[in-house]
Amino acid sequence: MLKILVADDHPLYREAITGALKPNFSNVKFLESDSFDTTIGVLRKQRNVDVVLLDLNMPGCENYYGLLRVRQLFPNIIIAVVSAFDDPKTIFETIEFGANGFIPKTLTTVEFVKALNEIMTGKIWIPDNMRQKVADVSQETKKISQQVRMLTPKQFEVLRLVKRGMSNKEISDSLSVTEATVKAHISSLFKRLDVKSRTQILVAIEKLNLD
């Protein structure tokens, strides 16, 4: 049986996508989640989920955190990001951070089904009209995206807080860890991102949508 997890924080959209897809797939079971925590909970309980239709901005999933963590924890699962934000940079970063495809919420049911079928055959799917624009994303952006993808969850969280301009003390308070731990994470970020200062971190990740 094909198992598809619809991970979106809007109940009406979950119902709509399930209703639209169900007639087009035989022997399928749809599961639902509405946040990062519930998504991970379902995936841990239902070990044989085949596909996750993942919203980028559910609670806990912001700034690609949800996508990165699902990919790290479940490396073999198919992830199709379904989003209303379909600019070239977002699509590029979505694929770089581990998605198997990017499906805009503006697609018709027929187009959605076609895209999902292609993704499930192992293809990386993005809209045809966006392929050249995505391909034109700069090499610098590609490099930093690949580096960020390799960060641990804590390093990624510290990176987000550094970009917000928070001091080590503020980051330690926010994450409930010691300043020494924060300093260790930042040192790791220097190595991972090949930089030598906080300013260079900010310059390196400025092109990414981590706000």
Side-chain angles (χ1 to χ4, degrees), residues 38-63:
T38 57
T39 298
I40 297 302
V42 171
L43 291 175
R44 282 177 171 158
K45 184 177 180 180
Q46 303 278 344
R47 286 288 183 174
N48 54 345
V49 172
D50 300 287
V51 181
V52 180
L53 302 179
L54 181 69
D55 178 50
L56 283 178
N57 293 305
M58 286 189 302
C61 286
E62 302 88 349
N63 314 122

Side-chain angles (χ1 to χ4, degrees), residues 49-140:
V49 172
D50 300 287
V51 181
V52 180
L53 302 179
L54 181 69
D55 178 50
L56 283 178
N57 293 305
M58 286 189 302
C61 286
E62 302 88 349
N63 314 122
Y64 301 110
Y65 181 78
L67 171 58
L68 285 162
R69 289 293 284 140
V70 172
R71 175 52 69 219
Q72 288 172 343
L73 292 170
F74 305 94
N76 297 320
I77 204 166
I78 295 172
I79 304 173
V81 164
V82 183
S83 178
F85 301 98
D86 59 354
D87 60 281
K89 188 190 296 185
T90 298
I91 295 174
F92 168 79
E93 290 168 358
T94 295
I95 301 304
E96 282 296 315
F97 291 149
N100 301 92
F102 183 97
I103 302 177
K105 287 186 175 181
T106 53
L107 292 190
T108 65
T109 297
V110 171
E111 293 169 329
F112 196 124
V113 171
K114 181 180 178 181
L116 186 54
N117 275 321
E118 289 194 24
I119 291 169
M120 289 193 298
T121 64
K123 296 180 180 178
I124 298 295
W125 192 93
I126 63 174
D128 287 337
N129 65 336
M130 299 299 292
R131 289 186 180 277
Q132 187 56 53
K133 294 178 181 178
V134 171
D136 290 339
V137 175
S138 73
Q139 288 298 318
E140 272 186 52

Side-chain angles (χ1 to χ4, degrees), residues 159-203:
L159 178 66
R160 292 167 61 188
L161 299 180
V162 167
K163 190 177 182 187
R164 292 179 191 174
M166 295 176 67
S167 67
N168 287 358
K169 177 66 166 61
E170 290 170 328
I171 294 174
S172 69
D173 291 342
S174 177
L175 300 180
S176 299
V177 297
T178 66
E179 284 191 63
T181 299
V182 173
K183 290 179 181 178
H185 284 312
I186 292 177
S187 294
S188 295
L189 287 177
F190 288 169
K191 293 178 182 178
R192 294 268 190 172
L193 304 181
D194 193 24
V195 298
K196 297 180 180 179
S197 69
R198 276 172 168 260
T199 300
Q200 289 180 339
I201 287 178
L202 297 177
V203 171

